C-alpha cells in the first residue's frame, strides 16, 4: 500500500495544486471534485490520470482540502454541547438566581407545561388554527408572486406595467396593512390570510423576477435557434433555469409568512399560536409563552425541511453525482 | 485592405447552388460606456454553396462570431442583409441551427429530451420526436445515455448531445461558433472526427468558426480568412482534399503546406504582425 500522501507532503503544498481533473473537464465538472473522493470524478473520458487507492485518503478531496461536510458525529456532538451549555446556564440562573417561576420557569416546569397543553388539546388547536392561516396566505401569496414575478422578469411590458406597484409596496412592512385590512375585512380569518399573502407575495415576486434575469443567455439563444418562440423559451427554458431562485423565494417567504402570522395573531385573534403567546404573557404564564415559542420554531423548521426536500427532488438534474 | 471585398465561393465547391448570401453586411457595436461605436464587421459580401462546409478563421476579436450570429438572426446587422435559402434573415429560427462554444445542453432535461427539444417546439408528436431523437443519439454514439442527465456526462459527451440536438432540429444550415473551443485537446480531436463523419454522412451547409487551422483544414471545403477589426474577408482558400477524410490527412505534405499557407495569410491579414497563434 502507498503511504498516506497527506503525511508525505506538507498540506499547504497540496492545497496549491489544482484538482487533477480540471485539466480535462470544464469548470462545471470540476465542482464535482469538492464533494467526491480523489480520482473518482474523471468523467467518462477514461481513467483519471492519477488514481490513489488508499483507505487513509477517504474523505480527502483531490485538492487536499478536507471535505466541506466534515465529520458528522463531531458536528452533532458539538452542536448538542452548544445547546447543553445554554440550557445549563439558563437552569443555573433560574434555580439559583431568579427563583421565580413566573418570570424564569425551570426547564422541567416548561417541559411539563408543554406536555399538559399538548395533551389537553390547547396547543394542537392553536397549531391547527395558525397552520390553516399560514398555508392559505402563503399559498395564495407565493403562487401569485411566482406567476407575476416570472412574467415581469421575462416580458418587458409586464415589467413596465407592474414594477412601479411592486416597488411601491415592497418597502412597506406587511403588518402596516393590518389596520387597513381590519377596517375593510374585519378581524376574521380573511384579514389574516390577506396580510400573510401580501407578505409572501412581495418576497416571492422579487425572487422570481430576479431568477428570470439570471437565465443564461446561451440557453436562451440555443432554444431560439432550435425554433422556440419567446413564449416557448419562457416556459421551457427560463422557468426551469429559475427554479433554484423560485425555491429560494419560497423558503424566504415561508419564514416571512410565519413571522407575519404570529404578529397578526398578537394583534387580533381568538385562537392560534400568536394568540396563545399573548394570553400567556397577559396571565404571567411565562412557561406557556416559552412552550409556544418552541412550537413556532419547530413548525417553521419542519415546513422548511419539507420545502427543501421538494426542492432537491425538483432540481435533481442540478446535482453533481448520483 | 480597404474597400468592400466581394467573394463568391466557386460553384464547384458543392455544385449544388447557393445556400447563404451575405449582401453588403456591416456591423457596429454601440459601446454605451464610452458612447462610441465599434465596427466589428466591415462591409462583407459572400456566397456560400449549398451543402458545403465553410470555416472562418481570423485574429481573436475579429468579427467572425458576429458574422455567424448575424446569419443565425441573433444579431441584426447595422447594414446589409443575409439571405438563407432565398429568405431574408429576420431573427432566430429553427432553419438556422447553432452550436455554441459554451455548454448549451439544457441541464434540466435528459439527453433524449434535449435532442428532441427542436421537434418538440415544432409540435412533432411525442413518439415521432423520440424516435428521431434516439436515432441521432445513437448516431453520435450515446445510445446508452439517452436517459442520463447532462451532469452525468463528460464535456465531450455533452458536445455530442449538442450536435445531435442541432441536427435533430433539421435546420437548413448549421452554424458552429468554436464548438470545440472549450474542450481539451484530446476530446477536441475526437469531436472533429465525429463531426467529420457525421457531416460526410448527412451533408448540410455548415459555417464553422474556429481558431484551430488544422481543424478548419480537416473539416472544410473552403476556409475564409478574416482580417483584424473591422473584420473583412482577406482570402478564401478552397480546400479540395478528397472525402471521406481520415485523421492521417493531418500529416499529408499537401495538408501541412496548406496549413502553412493559411498561417501566412492570417499573418498578412492581421495587419499588425503575427498576433494569431494556434495550438
Amino acid at each position: 500500500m502507498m503511504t498516506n500522501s497527506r503525511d508525505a507532503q506538507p498540506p499547504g503544498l497540496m492545497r496549491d495544486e489544482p484538482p487533477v481533473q480540471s485539466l480535462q473537464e470544464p469548470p462545471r465538472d470540476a465542482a464535482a471534485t469538492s464533494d467526491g473522493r480523489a480520482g473518482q470524478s474523471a468523467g467518462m473520458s477514461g481513467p483519471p490520470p492519477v488514481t490513489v487507492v488508499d483507505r487513509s485518503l477517504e474523505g480527502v478531496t483531490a485538492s487536499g482540502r478536507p471535505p466541506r461536510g466534515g465529520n458528522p458525529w463531531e458536528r452533532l456532538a458539538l452542536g448538542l454541547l452548544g445547546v447543553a451549555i445554554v440550557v445549563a446556564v439558563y437552569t443555573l440562573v433560574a434555580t439559583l438566581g431568579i427563583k421565580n417561576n413566573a418570570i424564569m420557569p425551570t426547564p422541567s416546569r416548561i417541559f411539563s407545561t408543554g406536555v399538559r397543553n399538548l395533551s389537553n388539546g390547547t396547543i394542537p388547536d392553536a397549531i391547527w388554527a395558525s397552520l390553516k392561516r399560514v398555508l392559505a396566505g402563503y399559498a395564495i401569496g407565493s403562487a401569485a408572486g411566482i406567476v407575476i414575478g416570472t412574467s415581469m422578469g421575462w416580458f418587458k411590458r409586464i415589467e413596465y406595467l407592474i414594477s412601479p406597484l411592486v416597488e411601491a409596496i415592497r418597502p412597506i412592512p406587511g403588518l402596516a396593512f393590518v389596520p387597513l385590512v381590519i377596517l375593510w375585512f374585519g378581524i376574521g380569518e380573511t384579514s389574516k390570510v390577506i396580510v400573510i399573502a401580501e407578505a409572501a407575495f412581495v418576497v416571492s415576486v422579487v425572487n422570481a423576477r430576479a431568477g428570470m434575469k439570471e437565465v443564461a443567455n446561451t440557453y436562451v439563444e440555443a432554444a431560439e435557434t432550435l425554433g422556440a418562440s419567446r413564449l416557448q423559451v419562457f416556459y421551457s427554458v427560463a422557468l426551469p433555469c429559475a427554479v433554484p431562485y423560485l425555491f429560494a423565494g419560497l423558503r424566504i417567504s415561508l419564514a416571512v409568512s410565519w413571522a407575519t402570522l404570529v404578529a397578526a395573531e398578537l394583534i387580533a385573534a381568538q385562537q392560534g399560536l400568536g394568540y396563545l403567546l399573548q394570553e400567556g404573557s397577559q396571565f404571567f404564564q411565562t412557561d406557556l409563552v416559552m412552550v409556544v415559542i418552541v412550537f413556532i420554531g419547530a413548525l417553521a423548521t419542519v415546513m422548511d425541511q419539507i420545502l427543501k426536500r421538494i426542492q432537491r427532488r425538483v432540481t435533481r438534474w442540478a446535482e453533481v453525482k448520483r | 485592405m480597404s474597400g468592400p471585398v466581394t467573394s463568391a465561393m466557386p460553384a464547384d465547391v458543392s455544385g449544388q447552388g447557393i445556400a447563404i448570401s451575405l449582401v453588403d453586411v456591416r456591423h457596429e457595436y454601440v459601446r454605451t460606456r464610452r458612447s462610441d461605436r465599434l465596427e466589428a464587421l466591415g462591409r462583407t459580401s459572400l456566397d456560400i454553396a449549398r451543402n458545403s462546409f465553410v470555416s472562418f478563421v481570423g485574429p481573436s476579436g475579429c468579427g467572425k462570431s458576429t458574422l455567424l450570429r448575424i446569419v443565425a438572426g441573433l444579431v441584426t446587422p447595422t447594414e446589409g442583409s443575409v439571405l438563407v435559402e432565398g429568405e431574408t434573415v429576420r431573427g432566430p429560427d429553427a432553419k438556422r441551427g447553432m452550436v455554441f462554444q459554451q455548454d448549451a445542453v439544457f441541464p434540466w432535461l435528459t439527453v433524449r429530451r434535449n435532442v428532441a427539444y427542436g421537434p418538440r417546439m415544432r409540435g412533432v408528436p411525442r413518439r415521432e420526436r423520440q424516435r428521431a431523437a434516439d436515432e441521432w443519439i445513437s448516431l453520435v454514439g450515446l445510445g446508452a445515455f439517452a436517459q442520463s442527465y447532462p451532469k452525468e456526462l463528460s464535456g465531450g459527451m455533452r458536445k455530442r448531445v449538442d450536435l445531435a440536438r442541432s441536427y435533430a432540429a433539421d435546420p437548413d444550415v448549421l452554424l458552429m461558433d468554436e464548438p470545440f473551443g472549450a474542450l481539451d485537446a484530446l476530446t477536441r480531436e475526437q469531436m472533429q472526427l465525429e463531426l467529420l463523419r457525421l457531416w460526410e454522412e448527412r451533408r448540410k451547409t455548415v459555417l464553422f468558426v474556429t481558431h484551430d487551422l488544422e481543424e478548419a483544414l480537416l473539416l472544410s471545403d473552403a476556409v475564409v480568412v478574416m482580417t483584424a477589426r473591422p473584420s473583412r474577408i482577406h482570402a478564401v482558400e478552397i480546400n479540395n482534399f478528397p472525402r471521406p477524410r481520415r485523421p492521417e490527412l493531418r500529416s499529408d505534405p499537401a495538408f501541412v503546406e496548406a496549413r502553412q499557407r493559411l498561417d501566412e495569410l492570417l499573418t498578412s491579414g492581421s495587419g499588425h504582425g503575427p498576433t494569431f497563434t494556434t495550438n
Side-chain angles (χ1 to χ4, degrees), chain B residues 109-123:
Chain B
L109 298 181
T110 60
V111 168
R112 176 191 273 155
R113 299 194 64 196
N114 258 289
V115 177
Y117 183 85
R120 184 178 128 213
M121 292 300 115
R122 232 186 304 130

Side-chain angles (χ1 to χ4, degrees), chain A residues 17-156:
Chain A
E17 284 169 3
V20 180
Q21 289 77 15
S22 66
L23 291 172
Q24 275 207 325
E25 299 284 338
R28 245 166 211 285
D29 269 19
T33 57
S34 63
D35 289 332
R37 271 176 239 147
Q40 210 187 17
S41 46
M44 303 301 190
S45 50
V50 182
T51 313
V52 183
V53 185
D54 186 349
R55 287 270 128 192
S56 62
L57 270 180
E58 266 183 23
V60 178
T61 62
S63 60
R65 252 172 265 138
R68 214 180 300 148
N71 181 346
W73 292 110
E74 186 182 353
R75 198 192 162 101
L76 181 70
L78 284 177
L80 287 175
L81 181 66
V83 174
I85 289 173
V86 170
V87 172
V89 169
Y90 177 91
T91 312
L92 280 177
V93 174
T95 52
L96 303 176
I98 307 289
K99 291 186 190 164
N100 183 345
N101 265 325
I103 293 167
M104 260 184 115
T106 58
S108 62
R109 195 185 156 98
I110 296 172
F111 185 78
S112 62
T113 306
V115 170
R116 192 176 61 247
N117 282 288
L118 258 183
S119 54
N120 70 12
T122 312
I123 284 183
D125 287 350
I127 287 177
W128 181 232
S130 291
L131 210 54
K132 276 192 295 192
R133 290 169 186 148
V134 155
L135 288 180
Y138 172 64
I140 295 167
S142 44
I146 285 173
V147 171
I148 293 173
T150 51
S151 315
M152 282 171 74
W154 197 245
F155 300 102
K156 220 186 300 169

Side-chain angles (χ1 to χ4, degrees), chain B residues 240-266:
Chain B
N240 276 330
F241 298 111
R243 292 182 186 274
R245 293 179 186 166
R246 308 193 50 81
E248 296 80 58
L249 181 63
R250 288 179 217 268
S251 44
D252 189 297
F255 187 92
V256 176
E257 198 185 306
R259 191 199 179 289
Q260 235 149 25
R261 204 163 51 239
L262 267 187
D263 224 347
E264 280 157 24
L265 279 171
L266 267 174

Side-chain angles (χ1 to χ4, degrees), chain B residues 31-90:
Chain B
R31 289 189 291 194
T32 40
R33 198 175 296 172
R34 295 166 59 169
S35 66
D36 65 353
R37 316 187 72 144
L38 179 79
E39 189 173 24
L41 185 65
R43 192 180 303 273
T44 301
S45 294
L46 181 69
D47 287 338
I48 286 160
R50 184 168 298 121
N51 290 342
S52 62
F53 195 119
V54 179
S55 289
F56 292 78
V57 298
S60 307
C62 86
K64 359 185 244 301
S65 292
T66 306
L67 189 139
L68 219 60
R69 294 171 64 81
I70 289 172
V71 177
L74 294 169
V75 169
T76 309
T78 315
E79 280 174 32
S81 60
V82 179
L83 286 156
V84 176
E85 297 295 347
E87 257 179 71
T88 305
V89 172
R90 301 181 208 284

Side-chain angles (χ1 to χ4, degrees), chain B residues 26 30 40 54 66 74 86 92 98 102 119 121 145 159 187 197 209 215-216 245 272 279:
Chain B
R26 203 176 72 83
V30 178
V54 179
T66 306
L74 294 169
M98 186 133 178
Q102 307 97 306
M121 292 300 115
F145 296 93
K159 216 71 224 186
T187 314
R197 183 181 62 79
V209 165
E215 183 172 84
R245 293 179 186 166
H272 37 265
N279 310 346

Side-chain angles (χ1 to χ4, degrees), chain A residues 24 44 221 232 236 240 317, chain B residues 69 107 117 121 151 157 184:
Chain A
Q24 275 207 325
M44 303 301 190
E221 291 186 339
Q232 284 177 321
S236 70
W317 51 266
Chain B
R69 294 171 64 81
Y117 183 85
M121 292 300 115
K151 275 282 170 189
M157 292 163 90
D184 64 276

